[in-house]
Amino acid sequence: MKFHKHIKEHLSLLKAHDIVRRYFIMNFFDGSLTTLGILSGAYFTNLNNIQMIIGATLGAGIAMFIAGLSGAYLSESAERKHQLRDLERAMLKNLEKSTIGQASKFVPIYTSIVDGISPLLASFVIILPFLFSHVFNDIDIKILFYISFAICFSLIFTLGLLLGKLSKENIFYGGIKALLIGIITAVIISLIGKI
Amino acid sequence: MATIKRLILDILKPHQPTVIKYAEDIANLDKSYSVTIKVIEIDDKTETVELVIEGQAIDFKKLESLIHKLGGSIHSIDEVSTGKNIIKHFYHDHKR
């Protein structure tokens, strides 16, 4: 509880709530679409090897995790350092040990974790039916694909609803918009599968 | 030994933390503290505030280190009251 309060204080000091939320939504969407891409590619090319599908999806998820973690940390910490130096110049004093100085170190770490974990989480959730495929011995791989697609489109739709709620527009319009992006992606990949 | 009963400080601080956070954290230093902060001037990245604090025995060192921790700088000590009672004359003159 105390740690949660500490996070909230640091985020509000640098007004970073919006950035963290944006990173989460953007990268969760990225992770969902990338996983959809891998699954669609596998489905439309009739790939039947469950281990290969899991390996490719989690591999992409881990790559996105590291890319998000390092990319967000490097850019956010550079930006926060720049802002702190500007403030130090205005204050004519070193602010490294002040609460704002500590927040400037904490916020890039927190944002990069959110940025890295969100696509990995999306990949992991979507691929769950394949991860638990051994539980159902004789299950048709096509059913696993359908369940994963259903999870993926539900996640994309929910993300759209969330964006609609944030922008205070019609939330269903937001959901449908996001869903359309997912469907277009799957359709394009299905065309590649036919080549 | 005479203790500080009332202080008026001129402080330069960044916009964040807000004056509310400053007032709360300073008041939390001691149960006897009463705090009022008034914003005097706002610039692009900083603001100048006047801090009025009253208490049974104000610990200036603790107060100073808290203000530094919150990122502020004490520009000047504009008024100090010590001893048995706060002298009313000054109290009323400076009460804004």
Side-chain angles (χ1 to χ4, degrees):
Chain A
M1 203 62 195
K2 202 177 173 187
F3 183 64
H4 183 245
K5 197 184 163 200
H6 182 74
I7 293 174
K8 265 180 86 177
E9 267 183 17
H10 278 352
L11 291 180
S12 72
L13 253 182
L14 297 182
K15 295 180 177 166
H17 284 105
D18 292 358
I19 297 163
V20 172
R21 190 170 54 204
R22 206 177 310 140
Y23 272 139
F24 178 79
I25 293 173
M26 196 171 75
N27 287 293
F28 199 87
F29 195 68
D30 264 4
S32 305
L33 277 193
T34 307
T35 312
L36 176 69
I38 294 168
L39 285 179
S40 309
Y43 179 79
F44 291 116
T45 54
N46 295 317
L47 184 70
N48 287 322
N49 189 324
I50 291 177
Q51 277 182 328
M52 268 174 85
I53 294 166
I54 294 173
T57 309
L58 288 185
I62 290 165
M64 281 188 287
F65 169 72
I66 293 169
L69 196 78
S70 52
Y73 181 74
L74 292 174
S75 60
E76 273 298 310
S77 66
E79 186 62 35
R80 297 297 167 192
K81 269 181 200 163
H82 173 72
Q83 285 175 356
L84 191 68
R85 297 292 163 259
D86 269 1
L87 191 59
E88 283 178 339
R89 235 171 277 136
M91 289 289 301
L92 299 171
K93 70 179 276 195
N94 186 310
L95 292 169
E96 290 285 339
K97 285 181 181 166
S98 69
T99 44
I100 204 153
Q102 285 168 353
S104 298
K105 284 179 193 154
F106 173 79
V107 165
I109 295 170
Y110 186 74
T111 359
S112 62
I113 291 171
V114 171
D115 195 272
I117 278 183
S118 49
L120 181 62
L121 186 72
S123 302
F124 185 75
V125 172
I126 296 167
I127 208 72
L128 273 178
F130 287 90
L131 288 173
F132 287 99
S133 60
H134 63 278
V135 178
F136 318 98
N137 278 333
D138 294 323
I139 195 163
D140 186 0
I141 192 164
K142 284 219 180 323
I143 294 173
L144 295 177
F145 272 117
Y146 296 146
I147 300 171
S148 282
F149 283 138
I151 295 173
C152 186
F153 285 119
S154 311
L155 287 178
I156 291 173
F157 183 70
T158 312
L159 222 56
L161 293 181
L162 201 74
L163 289 174
K165 197 182 169 193
L166 272 178
S167 59
K168 286 177 182 158
E169 287 173 354
N170 187 334
I171 58 166
F172 284 102
Y173 179 63
I176 299 292
K177 230 172 19 180
L179 198 60
L180 268 178
I181 296 169
I183 292 169
I184 290 169
T185 310
V187 168
I188 293 171
I189 294 166
S190 77
L191 295 176
I192 293 168
K194 283 179 182 165
I195 295 170
Chain B
M1 199 179 134
T3 54
I4 302 172
K5 293 272 187 338
R6 178 180 155 90
L7 266 176
I8 297 182
L9 305 176
D10 183 61
I11 295 168
L12 179 73
K13 67 175 274 300
H15 294 310
Q16 295 291 333
T18 62
V19 280
I20 295 171
K21 170 83 175 152
Y22 265 70
E24 282 174 350
D25 283 10
I26 293 168
N28 282 336
L29 282 176
D30 191 280
K31 277 183 184 171
S32 73
Y33 287 1
S34 299
V35 180
T36 301
I37 299 178
K38 188 177 177 182
V39 178
I40 306 294
E41 197 183 333
I42 298 182
D43 288 322
D44 182 25
K45 292 187 171 65
T46 59
E47 53 198 45
T48 304
V49 299
E50 185 186 66
L51 168 80
V52 184
I53 174 168
E54 285 187 14
Q56 294 294 318
I58 297 168
D59 186 336
F60 183 70
K61 281 208 168 148
K62 262 193 189 170
L63 179 66
E64 192 182 26
S65 89
L66 177 64
I67 290 167
H68 281 301
K69 196 184 152 212
L70 292 171
S73 299
I74 298 174
H75 268 187
S76 59
I77 302 170
D78 293 346
E79 192 179 305
V80 193
S81 301
T82 61
K84 199 176 170 189
N85 297 308
I86 297 169
I87 298 168
K88 297 286 182 188
H89 172 70
F90 283 100
Y91 183 85
H92 287 297
D93 273 1
H94 287 261
K95 204 173 181 185
R96 293 170 207 198

